[in-house]
Amino acid sequence: MKANFPQIPISLKENVLENVLQKTPFGFSLVNEHYVFEFANDEWLNIVQKTRQEVLGKKMFDIFPETEIQLLSIFDHVKKNKEPFYSPEHSIKLKRAGVLQDVFFNFVYQPIYSECGELQCFAIVAIEVTGLVGIRNKIKDEEERLRLATESSHTATWDLNLKNSEIIHSSYLSQIFGYENDDEISHLKLRTHLVEYDRINIVDKAFQRALKTGKYQYEARIIDKKGNLKWVFTNGKIFPDEKGQPARMLGVMQDITERKNNEILLQESHHQLNTALDATKLGKFDMDYETQQKYNFSPRFLSILGYDADTETIDSKVFESHIHPKYLKIRAAALKQAKETGDLFYQTKIILREGQVKWIEIYGRLLESYKGSKPYISGTMRDITDLKEFESSIKESEKKYRFLADAIPQIVWIGESDGRLTYFNQATMDYSGKNYNTFLEEDGWLSIVHPDERAENQRLWMKSVTTKTPFTYEHRFLGKNGEYRWFLSRATPQLDEMGNVKKWVGTSTDIDEMKRLDQHKNDFIKIANHELKTPVTTIKGYVQLLKKMRGDSEDKFLVNSLNTIENQINKLNQLMGELLDISRIESGQLPLHKGDFSLVKLVTETIEDIKAADQSHQINFELSHTSDVEVFADKDRITQVLNNLLTNAIKYSPNKKEVHVKLFIDGKCAVVSVEDFGIGMNEEELSKIFERFYRVSGKDEVTFPGFGIGLFIVKDILDRHHGKIWVESEKNKGSKFYFSLPLFKN
Ligand code: ADP
């Protein structure tokens, strides 16, 4: 067999050399021109994971068929060019221990020629670099991963050469400083973006520190190329050269503007909160949600408990030890609820070290875990001792007032701001015979009001409640004997400083007797009026007849007497009419007969009538309106109004002889004014003249006779016409009365 082997080159026959080749750390083999292995050293066999027997004398591609295509072309190339072929980091697929693997070799294919220049064989030198390539690829992968990581976490990387200030950086660094990715930026340029204060006080100092410690770290402000103020965070490390001198600095930079702004906001709101808490005198604490153990007491919290935060050490259970034993249950219930709802609230008494007792109020709210911290309840403590004392003194005085209210025979009740009645005194129960709870039901009190007055009663009450104006109403209440009696109910709102209704305090007074007397009086007036009417009309008729017959008589005494009788009869007539009106107004029976008529005509005629009866005054009528003025009203009643104002004007200006009447239009109303220059009135008198039976006191009854009911009737008539009456007056200068009526709309 050996004879078939091609001859081994002479040079290799030498043992020494063979030995060296055998032991070299790189693979070495020889194949002849037929690609049959003639020599393979240990390392080569190791690389290909074969034994020498499996290889020697065998054709290369029989053993490694997978390499045939690849290697044949290489061998052809070597043969053709007669020079070695280097194939660095050449990847070939190799089956090792039955597994096909990607392996990398630095290959040298060296042709070996005989002395006569004939190709004898190929030397294959193979140095496996699979590991090296792997490491390099790994580094590449790592680098890529790092790049991706830094880019996606918005972290810029930089590498600064400390000797020549050259900087290599990722594109994100350019972005932080407001540059485009391809803008050239030097280290010096970057430094100019630092806010000067921060450069001197933060960055330069951090650099000095880095020179000592090797670690470079700071947070500082920059103004980027576009003028935006930003916060950046840098974290770097110094790498020294062989001599131990700082050579490079490598690091990362992040834009932390948002975080910083939030931090600043948080600091500000903390500050505001603390200031607010200081102002409200609230103590503050934090409490572990799970263990419900308190910690982080504010100085105020401790001072409420009687401790000095500066000088005393306080443990987390200090608060519990001061709870009044009677309130432990309330507190436990509140804590249990806090675990369920996240809200903590309770009031308790506490006992201080010296035995002093205080009332406090605890309020807290669950805060969800933030940045990994455990959920906790943040809360406040308020000293409510004064409040509680005040409350109990109020309760005491309320008790007293309730007692008083119950002791009086008049009905007293209290309403809430929304109109609900929530308290009735004992007299209510005594009168109605009903049970207290009946009154507390919604609108329960209405059950004793007479059905005829219920709707109006409720309407007026709600009107007062919404307008916050006093309530007055006369209505009948059902007594326990099954009879109704008249009551006058009044209520006034109790307002707080802001003008909101706190409570309504009401009373209902039994006016049944008064009502009955009033009814008698009204009945009497009606009868008297009726009975007097016939004699008065008869007298008036005879006087008029006598005047007609003897009015031009020479007998002055007779003429004057007849005039006087007629005047007095007229006054008597007017008085009787007014008295009847009053009783009708009171019983709500003053009828109105409305129609449309000319107000101009009415004023003119009324003035004429007055002039005919009394020439003592000059009455001017000024009409500021050219066209007629029509109103829809009760003509007789409006005549009565004007008559009243004119007779008053004459009556209360005995020394001045003029009365001015004007008629004008104001918006949708016709206005009539009657002005005199007589005795006038002061402010206080003015406010009362429209009340029933009011007369300015100290009035000379002879000069100014009257009942004080004219203006009361006038006001009622105008009210019922949706009109108005008002007056301007000055003592001893005169008065000007106005009344207005809505214009008649076609
Ligand atoms: P009286 O019958 O007393 O005139 P009125 O109701 O008409 O009753 O008027 C009420 C009061 O108003 C009068 O008593 C008087 O004091 C005052 N008063 C009315 N008109 C005038 C006026 N023109 N000048 C001054 N006082 C007047």
Side-chain angles (χ1 to χ4, degrees), residues 333-383:
L335 288 176
K336 188 166 167 264
Q337 201 180 4
K339 274 214 167 187
E340 284 156 18
T341 62
D343 274 332
L344 176 69
F345 176 77
Y346 63 95
Q347 294 183 340
T348 175
K349 269 187 187 174
I350 52 169
I351 309 169
L352 304 196
R353 282 179 292 190
E354 307 80 42
Q356 189 195 348
V357 176
K358 273 188 183 178
W359 266 100
I360 54 142
E361 181 182 81
I362 293 281
Y363 173 76
R365 176 78 24 119
L366 173 69
L367 299 175
E368 293 301 332
S369 57
Y370 173 69
K371 282 193 175 168
S373 74
K374 285 201 281 180
Y376 66 100
I377 287 182
S378 186
T380 55
M381 170 160 80
R382 187 158 70 111
D383 184 344

Side-chain angles (χ1 to χ4, degrees), residues 474-490:
E474 285 179 11
H475 42 182
R476 282 164 289 177
F477 286 165
L478 183 63
K480 60 181 167 209
N481 55 3
E483 279 172 23
Y484 282 99
R485 286 179 73 82
W486 281 97
F487 280 79
L488 168 67
S489 291
R490 289 181 210 264

Side-chain angles (χ1 to χ4, degrees), residues 35 58-66 68:
Y35 309 114
K58 309 273 166 48
K59 195 166 177 184
M60 189 177 194
F61 304 126
D62 290 343
I63 309 165
F64 306 112
E66 65 276 4
E68 183 168 357

Side-chain angles (χ1 to χ4, degrees), residues 644 648-649 651-652 676 679-681 689 694-696 699 706-712 735 737:
N644 215 302
N648 274 351
K651 182 161 71 174
Y652 295 108
D676 66 64
I679 63 167
M681 288 165 281
I689 52 169
Y694 178 79
R695 307 206 66 229
V696 172
K699 198 77 57 65
F707 270 173
I709 50 176
L711 289 180
F712 173 75
S735 312
F737 282 82

